[in-house]
Amino acid sequence: MDDNINKKQPIRVLQIIGVVCGGGVEAVIMNYYRNIDRNKIQFDFIIDGYEKSLLDDEIESLGGKVYKVEPYSKNIFKYIYQIYRIIKENNYQIIHSNMNTLSVFSLFAAWLAGAKIRIIHNHSTAVKSEKMRSLLKYILRPFNTIFANKYLACSRVAGKWMFGQKAVKTGKIKIINNAINIDKFIYNENLRQQLRKELDIKEDTLVIGHVGRFMYQKNHDFLIEVFNKIYEQDNNSILLLIGDGPLKQTIKNKIEKYGLGNSVKFLGVRKDVNKLYNVMDIFLFPSHYEGLGMVGVEAQINGLHCLVADNIPSEIKISDKIKFLPISDSNLWASEILKIELQADNRKIDLSVAKTRFDIAEESKSYENFIKCGATSNDS
């Protein structure tokens, strides 16, 4: 008998991730995809927009399928219909939506198509100061449990914001840690020297770093205020900005206004962020809000001193090199940075906490079990 006939096909999970923009959500899902047992569980993806994305080739090389749909922001009805058709025509039974409060639309399509398991995964929170974006989140939030029947969050804070404290306390919400390959982020002195040379940065230059999309959430405006105050007292300093986004030009204009053009490097969307942490001395993370804030974990693993906003979930703390500060006082941030004593041999940290909570090898097994249990449940 042909062995292929007896070979059990993997459980296929349809991942809905929106627009691919080099952000944290897609990085989380791809980390899990690279590390799950793909003989048992396979991911396929729905991505907004018809152009080729940064992920297409890798997804297909790992055995996944990529479906392109009309972005919800252009035509929400076409977006829902296209997702419905994909699910119905391919008989997907497990849908995992990573669109936060916007998941209501894709999960409505999944419900209409008769998908058995409809997972909502919240990766974010909100602040009132974001105005229209946050208003939309608050309006959509109550509807997200209507069409979902499995509930995930990247942290207890994100779970509480979306589903409520009671749901988190009773265990109705499963926390899926934003896990990574920890070894990739450990400090490497040789890489530091090599990359500083490539970026034309002297060894004695103070390098402050940030990773994040240029959008309101990440608070680049405040970041530039802080760096300007640092530069006034130490002009042998550089700010590295990794990422892209709609507010990039606005931030560039502010940098030029302060006369910092030669001291800020825009590195764009990079696939080697884990290596670039080695170039930095201090990592700043002044977000208005985060569901978790995985770059803060990565920076700590690299041994960097990290100053982060005090509204970011405390779950990112894995070392004593992190300090939480209010984002109402740029002078305080600058003062704290200038107090830090940098030592070349002080980049090692105790990784036991990181390995307990953020090791992708272990966390991917937990996700596999979650999917296997869901595939055999009777939820509707």
Side-chain angles (χ1 to χ4, degrees), residues 17-35:
I17 61 172
V19 177
V20 171
C21 55
V25 173
E26 65 212 44
V28 169
I29 300 305
M30 288 303 294
N31 276 340
Y32 273 90
Y33 189 28
R34 296 177 189 115
N35 287 275

Side-chain angles (χ1 to χ4, degrees), residues 1 5 10 56 66 82 130 139 143 170 178 191 224 243 254 263 269 271 329 350:
M1 184 178 289
I5 295 176
D56 291 10
V66 179
Q82 288 180 322
E130 202 173 14
I139 290 171
F143 298 98
T170 58
N178 292 357
L191 273 176
I224 301 307
K254 182 163 187 168
S263 299
V269 176
K271 292 186 177 181
D329 188 351
D350 181 353

Side-chain angles (χ1 to χ4, degrees), residues 268-291:
V269 176
R270 302 283 294 243
K271 292 186 177 181
D272 61 345
V273 175
N274 61 304
K275 296 179 182 179
L276 290 169
Y277 286 120
N278 294 290
V279 174
M280 305 173 192
D281 297 303
I282 298 170
F283 185 81
L284 302 188
F285 197 32
S287 297
H288 285 288
Y289 62 91
E290 292 286 344

Side-chain angles (χ1 to χ4, degrees), residues 11 13 24 34 41 73 78 96 104 115 117 128 135 144 176 215 243 247 258 280 285 307 322 326 340 353:
I11 300 168
V13 179
R34 296 177 189 115
I41 296 172
S73 57
K78 188 173 182 180
H96 183 162
V104 63
I117 304 299
K128 291 180 181 178
L135 178 61
N144 272 278
I176 297 290
M215 56 192 297
L247 295 182
Y258 281 138
M280 305 173 192
F285 197 32
L307 274 63
I322 188 168
I340 295 173
V353 177

Side-chain angles (χ1 to χ4, degrees), residues 4-61:
N4 291 327
I5 295 176
N6 288 328
K7 185 177 181 181
K8 189 174 180 180
Q9 293 298 311
I11 300 168
R12 299 200 84 90
V13 179
L14 184 62
Q15 299 281 350
I16 301 174
I17 61 172
V19 177
V20 171
C21 55
V25 173
E26 65 212 44
V28 169
I29 300 305
M30 288 303 294
N31 276 340
Y32 273 90
Y33 189 28
R34 296 177 189 115
N35 287 275
I36 57 172
D37 184 344
R38 292 185 297 278
N39 292 315
K40 296 177 180 177
I41 296 172
Q42 180 58 251
F43 288 178
D44 296 330
F45 290 78
I46 289 180
I47 294 175
D48 286 12
Y50 301 110
E51 67 282 355
K52 185 173 182 178
S53 83
L54 296 171
L55 301 180
D56 291 10
D57 289 343
E58 183 179 5
I59 290 169
E60 291 171 357
S61 73

